[in-house]
Amino acid sequence: MNSPRKVTRIQRQKREVILAAALEAFAEDGLRGATLEKIADKAGMSKPHVVYYFGSKDAIYTELLQSLLEVWVQPLRDLSEDADPLAAILTYMRRKLRMSQDMPRESKMFATEILHGAPRMRPQLSGDLKALVDDKAALIAGWSAEGKIAKIDPHHLIFSIWAMTQHYADFDIQVEAVLGPDRKAGLYDEADAFLTEFFVRALRP
Amino acid sequence: MNSPRKVTRIQRQKREVILAAALEAFAEDGLRGATLEKIADKAGMSKPHVVYYFGSKDAIYTELLQSLLEVWVQPLRDLSEDADPLAAILTYMRRKLRMSQDMPRESKMFATEILHGAPRMRPQLSGDLKALVDDKAALIAGWSAEGKIAKIDPHHLIFSIWAMTQHYADFDIQVEAVLGPDRKAGLYDEADAFLTEFFVRALRP
DNA sequence: ACAATTTTTGACCATTTGGACAGAAAAATA
DNA sequence: TATTTTTCTGTCCAAATGGTCAAAAATTGT
């Protein structure tokens, strides 16, 4: 029957709730700033209960980070040969921008971790991530060599896409303060238009 | 004579030492993560001594943030009419990039503060900073209208300069991990070359 | 040299916080 | 229904940490 499955589902749901609460807390205050009590409150349960499911605050943080990493680099994984290389890069940029819009908490959590030295991601950055980026950089370099896009350093191109798209999520407070409240609603449409135009100009041969 | 001056100078020096130590600590671990003891150690004095000079950890943090803000926006202040608007913008970009290279700790401290909601800078972001950016955006918009540079949204152009230059300081761990150790030495030269080419392409009419 | 002032620190305190533990409540199993 | 297992929480504890305080040490002024 499904009696064991039922329990498992409940467990999985509880863990989901805790992870969601923790993500919010970590994005707001970082690993140190976020307290177990705050996470428990956001999750609607007691502090020992949170510990019961994850063992420690650190374990929640690490698990979140690891599972998010995969989601985070997926758009780059999907960058591949295309009828139009420029369109492929623009699509990648747009997916990253949409992730900033839809997952600002995830973006902030990553940013905070890396900003503070990425103590629990260093191996993956210089391992998997470096391999992935090198791979895609080679692809882009190929397009450059064939004259399909401008000749630019592909690694720095990727950095620039990361920087510009994540800026809107990570520093949203600053962006919104500078633009003023009126432009807040259409912000991501503006950003999309600007970045598209910007990268088209920079990349066409 | 200079007997009172002498004391004042010593006081000033002590404060300088503490501020430098605190900057390092805050950049590494953020406001919460940095402890008074760590700051005191880095400054080579006892914990109560640090408190004696600044009253509280928070006071050090706030003072650092305020004094750094002025330095931080100076390059934008200096953006003005020029024989060549494109050159003026490139100069601005380069000054920002150099600040990332020379003051990574300051960059990280700002980034962390804004990332976490900028609780003690909000008024200045939507006040002074917004006014300054609006002013310079108007200048750039003028250049656009005159056909001296491409027609792009000047606010987002400024954001893109902030994002791309600060990325190299704030996320240096990631950048260096992805590029590998060999490219670390010439990193900022690479970045300068890339960004210059990039912005020239994007901005020329 | 002596008094007054400033600087410096060791010892201490109150609060916060991660998390251990025993046992209650609930659920599954029999 | 009785028993076993799982879930959940009130209570407590030890460590970390921001900050106080009294007094020592150094400096300054006379």
Side-chain angles (χ1 to χ4, degrees):
Chain A
M1 285 303 152
N2 60 1
S3 43
R5 231 184 251 166
K6 210 171 169 184
V7 173
T8 304
R9 187 172 50 202
I10 288 175
Q11 288 177 333
R12 215 169 284 164
Q13 283 175 349
K14 288 278 177 181
R15 288 175 63 94
E16 288 296 317
V17 170
I18 293 173
L19 286 175
L23 173 61
E24 215 175 293
F26 289 140
E28 283 171 14
D29 303 319
L31 173 55
R32 304 249 176 167
T35 68
L36 270 177
E37 199 176 6
K38 200 173 187 177
I39 295 172
D41 282 352
K42 282 179 190 281
M45 51 188 82
S46 70
K47 203 169 63 169
H49 197 194
V50 173
V51 177
Y52 171 75
Y53 271 107
F54 283 89
S56 72
K57 186 172 81 166
D58 229 87
I60 307 176
Y61 185 80
T62 302
E63 178 156 336
L64 259 181
L65 215 54
Q66 297 305 327
S67 69
L68 290 178
L69 185 55
E70 294 166 33
V71 178
W72 213 240
V73 299
Q74 193 55 45
L76 184 56
R77 283 229 155 74
D78 295 345
L79 176 69
S80 62
E81 298 282 351
D82 196 284
D84 180 7
L86 178 54
I89 295 174
L90 288 179
T91 297
Y92 170 56
M93 181 277 287
R94 280 211 188 87
R95 282 189 65 186
K96 286 292 291 175
L97 183 61
R98 177 154 304 248
M99 287 183 73
S100 281
Q101 183 173 17
D102 295 342
M103 303 193 262
R105 290 184 305 260
E106 285 84 344
S107 187
K108 285 179 180 176
M109 191 174 151
F110 271 120
T112 305
E113 172 69 10
I114 294 172
L115 212 50
H116 291 6
R120 51 207 95 205
M121 287 174 61
R122 207 78 79 90
Q124 297 176 70
L125 295 184
S126 44
D128 290 351
L129 183 62
K130 175 173 169 33
L132 175 63
V133 172
D134 283 346
D135 184 48
K136 299 305 180 182
L139 177 64
I140 294 171
W143 292 334
S144 272
E146 294 166 23
K148 292 180 177 172
I149 60 170
K151 296 195 189 329
I152 38 81
D153 185 302
H155 285 90
H156 288 275
L157 173 63
I158 290 172
F159 293 154
S160 72
I161 293 173
W162 290 351
M164 292 173 76
T165 56
Q166 291 173 11
H167 187 85
Y168 289 99
D170 298 342
F171 305 123
D172 56 353
I173 268 86
Q174 190 182 43
V175 168
E176 285 165 19
V178 166
L179 285 182
D182 344 347
R183 291 176 72 174
K184 186 176 171 180
L187 175 56
Y188 275 94
D189 287 335
E190 284 185 17
D192 188 305
F194 171 82
L195 291 178
T196 301
E197 174 73 9
F198 201 75
F199 278 103
V200 167
R201 286 178 159 275
L203 288 178
R204 77 185 145 202
Chain B
M1 285 302 148
N2 59 2
S3 43
R5 234 183 250 164
K6 209 172 171 186
V7 173
T8 305
R9 187 172 52 204
I10 289 174
Q11 287 178 333
R12 217 169 282 164
Q13 283 175 349
K14 288 278 176 181
R15 287 175 64 93
E16 288 298 318
V17 171
I18 294 173
L19 286 174
L23 173 61
E24 214 176 294
F26 289 139
E28 282 170 16
D29 304 319
L31 173 55
R32 304 246 177 172
T35 68
L36 269 177
E37 200 177 4
K38 200 171 185 179
I39 294 171
D41 282 352
K42 281 179 191 280
M45 50 188 84
S46 69
K47 203 169 61 167
H49 198 195
V50 173
V51 177
Y52 171 75
Y53 271 108
F54 283 89
S56 73
K57 186 172 83 165
D58 228 87
I60 307 177
Y61 186 80
T62 302
E63 179 156 334
L64 259 181
L65 215 54
Q66 296 307 326
S67 69
L68 290 178
L69 185 54
E70 294 165 33
V71 179
W72 213 241
V73 299
Q74 193 56 44
L76 185 55
R77 282 231 156 72
D78 294 345
L79 177 69
S80 61
E81 299 282 353
D82 194 284
D84 181 6
L86 178 55
I89 295 174
L90 288 179
T91 297
Y92 171 56
M93 181 276 288
R94 279 210 188 87
R95 282 190 64 186
K96 285 293 290 176
L97 183 62
R98 173 150 313 238
M99 287 182 74
S100 281
Q101 184 174 15
D102 296 341
M103 302 194 260
R105 291 184 305 260
E106 285 85 342
S107 188
K108 285 179 178 176
M109 189 173 154
F110 270 120
T112 304
E113 171 70 10
I114 294 172
L115 212 49
H116 291 5
R120 52 207 94 205
M121 289 173 59
R122 207 79 78 90
Q124 296 175 69
L125 295 183
S126 44
D128 290 350
L129 182 63
K130 175 173 167 36
L132 175 63
V133 173
D134 283 346
D135 184 48
K136 299 305 180 182
L139 176 64
I140 294 170
W143 291 335
S144 272
E146 294 167 23
K148 292 180 177 169
I149 60 170
K151 294 194 190 329
I152 38 79
D153 183 305
H155 284 90
H156 288 275
L157 172 63
I158 290 172
F159 292 154
S160 73
I161 293 173
W162 290 352
M164 292 173 74
T165 57
Q166 291 173 12
H167 186 85
Y168 289 99
D170 298 342
F171 306 123
D172 55 354
I173 269 86
Q174 190 182 42
V175 168
E176 286 165 18
V178 166
L179 285 183
D182 345 347
R183 291 176 72 175
K184 187 175 172 181
L187 175 57
Y188 275 95
D189 286 336
E190 284 186 17
D192 187 306
F194 171 82
L195 292 178
T196 300
E197 174 73 10
F198 202 76
F199 278 104
V200 166
R201 286 179 160 273
L203 289 177
R204 76 184 146 204

